């Protein structure tokens, strides 16, 4: 009889993060007509982080080199937004290891599509 996969891999030293999506390093929500994205980037200096907007996609990247330990950390993630964003109104702030980006939704896109009548 075959054992379930989780039983036979239990004794092996696989790092659990190997099988995780890694999506728990950020929080994204919409409030008061804007998207708010918070990304955890502890240990980075503000000058090591870049955020750029291109055609509905926000790119967040970071690169940190620790010369004392001889290590290098990189971070890169892309976020696609379903609504039109006011590009000139995007603001970013890095405090206490957390990058917060505010992306205001343009007024035209706040109400989009056609309402579908529901028959009863």
């Amino acid at each position: 009889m075959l054992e379930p996969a989780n039983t036979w891999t239990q004794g092996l030293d696989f790092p659990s993060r190997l099988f995780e999506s890694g999506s728990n390093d950020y929080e994204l929500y919409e409030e008061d007509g804007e998207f708010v994205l918070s990304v955890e980037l502890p240990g980075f200096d503000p000058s090591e982080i870049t955020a750029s907007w291109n055609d509905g996609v926000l790119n967040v990247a970071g690169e940190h080199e620790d010369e004392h330990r001889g290590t290098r950390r990189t971070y890169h993630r892309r976020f696609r937004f379903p609504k039109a964003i006011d590009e000139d109104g995007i603001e970013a702030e890095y405090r206490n290891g957390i990058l917060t980006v505010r992306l205001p939704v343009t007024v035209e896109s706040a109400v989009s599509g056609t309402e579908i009548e529901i028959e009863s």
Side-chain angles (χ1 to χ4, degrees), residues 37-42 49 93-101:
L37 171 69
S38 298
V39 183
E40 294 179 21
L41 294 166
I49 301 169
E93 176 183 55
Y94 182 69
R95 261 200 202 136
N96 301 323
I98 297 176
L99 173 70
T100 303
V101 183

Side-chain angles (χ1 to χ4, degrees), residues 3-120:
E3 294 184 39
N6 62 348
T7 304
W8 61 263
T9 57
Q10 204 167 24
L12 301 175
D13 261 350
F14 282 122
S16 61
R17 291 196 67 79
L18 187 65
F19 303 104
E20 292 176 6
S21 65
S23 62
N24 57 352
D25 59 353
Y26 72 91
E27 179 183 33
L28 175 65
Y29 56 93
E30 186 177 2
E31 74 172 7
D32 299 329
E34 69 179 0
F35 286 105
V36 180
L37 171 69
S38 298
V39 183
E40 294 179 21
L41 294 166
F44 283 86
D45 190 84
S47 65
E48 299 171 325
I49 301 169
T50 59
S52 61
W53 178 260
N54 185 20
D55 197 25
V57 177
L58 176 71
N59 285 295
V60 175
E63 190 171 321
H64 176 72
E65 217 165 312
D66 187 336
E67 294 175 9
H68 298 296
R69 295 184 183 166
T71 59
R72 184 170 149 175
R73 290 176 46 214
T74 60
Y75 178 91
H76 185 253
R77 192 178 289 272
R78 297 171 57 128
F79 302 91
R80 181 169 294 283
F81 290 85
K83 295 181 179 176
I85 300 296
D86 175 10
E87 295 180 26
D88 296 329
I90 298 174
E91 296 177 350
E93 176 183 55
Y94 182 69
R95 261 200 202 136
N96 301 323
I98 297 176
L99 173 70
T100 303
V101 183
R102 295 181 177 278
L103 304 103
V105 177
T106 58
V107 178
E108 312 87 74
S109 69
V111 180
S112 62
T114 305
E115 187 174 338
I116 300 169
E117 185 179 334
I118 300 172
E119 296 179 23
S120 58

